[in-house]
Amino acid sequence: MSAVYINSASCISVQDTLKDQFFTDLTSENSAQILKAVEPNYKEFIPPAMIRRMSKTVKMSSVASHYALKEAGIEQPGAIIVGTGMGCSQDSEKFLKNVIDNNEEFLTPTFFIQSTHNTVAGQIALGLQCHAYNFTYVNTSSSLEFSFLDAKLQINDGEAENVLAGAADEQTDRTMELYRLNNTIKKEEDLPADYLHSATDGVIWGEGAAFFVLGKDQTENSYAKLTDIQISNRSDIEEIPSFITDFLAKNKLKSEDIDAVILGFSGDAKSDVHYTKAMDLFQNSSLLYYKHLSGEFNTASGFSTFMACHILKAQQIPDIMMINSEKKAEIKNVLLYNHLAGSDHSLVLLEKV
């Protein structure tokens, strides 16, 4: 497949990433079990009557997609593709609670209709009155990467010239309660978390929405070239070096050609060993991490992709993301490596335009 261009990038996250010059105000979050997204004033973007009926995922995605389309100067994308791990889980919980409270009788369908995972893509399309290709991917931590792959196919096959692609996930009280019980979320006594040298299991959970406009052609606003993507459901630690080197070789690159590597260290001792293994391949690259800024969640890679876009465009790396002290004079190739709890490994290669 031919490369496509990321022509705009927008993100709602634990950081105030909607504002200009957010690079200088990034703060590490390592003392809370759960991190909440910094939300905009939704009334500026969504009619008040509609806000009441929207879950947090839909609201965040509506605003993030609005910013992405506005920056790209596009009113109608040729396709809308969204990735999500948990979907609109707030409405799912409300529907299930109604089922229990009403003994499975006299149920209103609203919460069920709004709980489906494709609600986000559907609501964005309704807001834009867009009748183009509309698809949702639910593949845990590689949901955004599958959305990008589909977007590349749509563009390469001539089905669309510009695609709105993104990912979003929200938190819900009951799910967070369950995550605490099964130790997905770090115990209070294990905080503050050490993201890079953790001796304990579990993560700090976050949330957010990231949207991008992918285009066939480079524009003056382009952030990066989306060169290639690779996804593997399972990879043993011993397979990580070949997983990465084979991917680079396919793109006629070696590890020394990568200027910056963004790794998904989450503070989970059990699964972070994959990232430690990957670091050994990049002795002369800038090594970065980001989940101390965003928290861990199914589509946290949206935040890392957003950061990578800004790093390539500004040719500047925030010190708060640095693992080592290596800095290149020019940042040309950036590799993103992510997984969730050791499953669904993804590699994304971005190139300076």
Side-chain angles (χ1 to χ4, degrees):
M1 283 192 291
S2 303
V4 299
Y5 296 92
I6 299 177
N7 293 332
S8 72
S10 176
C11 182
I12 292 175
S13 68
V14 172
Q15 309 292 326
D16 193 0
T17 38
L18 281 182
K19 73 175 185 181
D20 296 331
Q21 309 301 323
F22 67 90
F23 255 36
T24 54
D25 296 324
L26 294 170
T27 54
S28 177
E29 305 284 352
N30 63 357
S31 298
Q33 289 179 300
I34 295 168
L35 305 175
K36 298 286 187 186
V38 178
E39 297 179 85
N41 181 3
Y42 293 122
K43 291 178 182 176
E44 294 178 9
F45 306 94
I46 307 166
M50 292 179 67
I51 291 174
R52 291 197 304 272
R53 297 196 298 271
M54 287 182 170
S55 70
K56 193 173 186 179
T57 301
V58 175
K59 289 187 288 189
M60 290 192 298
S61 300
S62 296
V63 175
S65 60
H66 167 83
Y67 272 98
L69 289 168
K70 184 179 178 182
E71 185 181 18
I74 289 169
E75 293 183 7
Q76 287 288 332
I80 297 171
I81 308 173
V82 176
T84 181
M86 299 292 287
C88 300
S89 45
Q90 286 181 359
D91 286 321
S92 299
E93 287 189 6
K94 288 174 184 175
F95 174 71
L96 292 171
K97 188 174 185 301
N98 270 356
V99 171
I100 295 166
D101 292 347
N102 294 294
N103 296 313
E104 303 181 22
E105 296 179 331
F106 314 117
L107 299 172
T108 56
T110 309
F111 290 135
F112 175 72
I113 294 166
Q114 294 178 181
S115 71
T116 57
H117 288 68
N118 61 353
T119 301
V120 176
Q123 287 283 5
I124 292 171
L126 283 169
L128 296 171
Q129 291 296 295
C130 177
H131 303 284
Y133 178 86
N134 193 289
F135 210 86
T136 299
Y137 285 90
V138 186
N139 298 82
T140 62
S141 64
S142 54
S143 300
L144 175 65
E145 289 75 7
F146 274 104
S147 300
F148 278 171
L149 274 175
D150 192 357
K152 283 183 63 123
L153 283 168
Q154 295 294 318
I155 292 168
N156 289 164
D157 290 348
E159 297 291 332
E161 288 196 4
N162 295 285
V163 176
L164 176 66
D169 275 297
E170 66 189 8
Q171 298 164 355
T172 54
D173 294 340
R174 181 60 177 155
T175 303
M176 294 304 100
E177 189 180 323
L178 294 171
Y179 279 2
R180 283 191 178 98
L181 289 172
N182 72 0
N183 297 324
T184 294
I185 290 175
K186 271 199 190 299
K187 297 175 181 175
E188 286 276 8
E189 57 264 31
D190 294 332
L191 298 174
D194 183 342
Y195 281 86
L196 295 176
H197 308 100
S198 179
T200 59
D201 294 339
V203 300
I204 291 174
W205 203 259
E207 62 182 355
F211 277 80
F212 310 86
V213 170
L214 273 55
K216 173 186 171 185
D217 301 315
Q218 181 182 344
T219 70
E220 59 183 23
N221 292 326
S222 293
Y223 282 86
K225 183 193 289 184
L226 177 58
T227 306
D228 201 5
I229 301 163
Q230 186 156 316
I231 299 160
S232 174
N233 177 246
R234 297 235 172 243
S235 288
D236 293 332
I237 295 172
E238 295 75 26
E239 297 171 338
I240 295 302
S242 60
F243 175 56
I244 295 173
T245 53
D246 290 351
F247 173 70
L248 294 178
K250 187 176 76 166
N251 290 283
K252 299 179 173 56
L253 294 170
K254 297 178 181 177
S255 57
E256 51 264 33
D257 297 319
I258 302 301
D259 302 300
V261 185
I262 303 182
L263 302 159
F265 278 101
S266 64
D268 177 46
K270 192 184 296 180
S271 62
D272 278 352
V273 290
H274 292 87
Y275 299 123
T276 307
K277 190 76 172 177
M279 281 171 59
D280 296 337
L281 296 171
F282 300 98
Q283 300 295 325
N284 301 311
S285 305
S286 298
L287 300 174
L288 319 179
Y289 70 127
Y290 65 93
K291 286 177 183 170
H292 60 307
L293 304 174
S294 68
E296 174 70 287
F297 56 102
N298 284 272
T299 50
S301 61
F303 181 84
S304 69
T305 307
F306 174 76
M307 293 303 298
C309 286
H310 280 274
I311 287 168
L312 280 165
K313 195 168 190 176
Q315 288 292 295
Q316 178 186 355
I317 299 172
D319 290 338
I320 198 169
M321 294 180 69
M322 296 292 295
I323 297 174
N324 61 358
S325 56
E326 187 74 34
K327 281 193 178 182
K328 298 289 184 75
E330 181 187 23
I331 306 165
K332 186 179 179 185
N333 294 306
V334 176
L335 180 69
L336 285 70
Y337 173 33
N338 186 58
H339 64 71
L340 179 64
S343 298
D344 296 295
H345 300 252
S346 66
L347 295 171
V348 177
L349 181 62
L350 300 180
E351 187 179 333
K352 178 189 172 187
V353 292

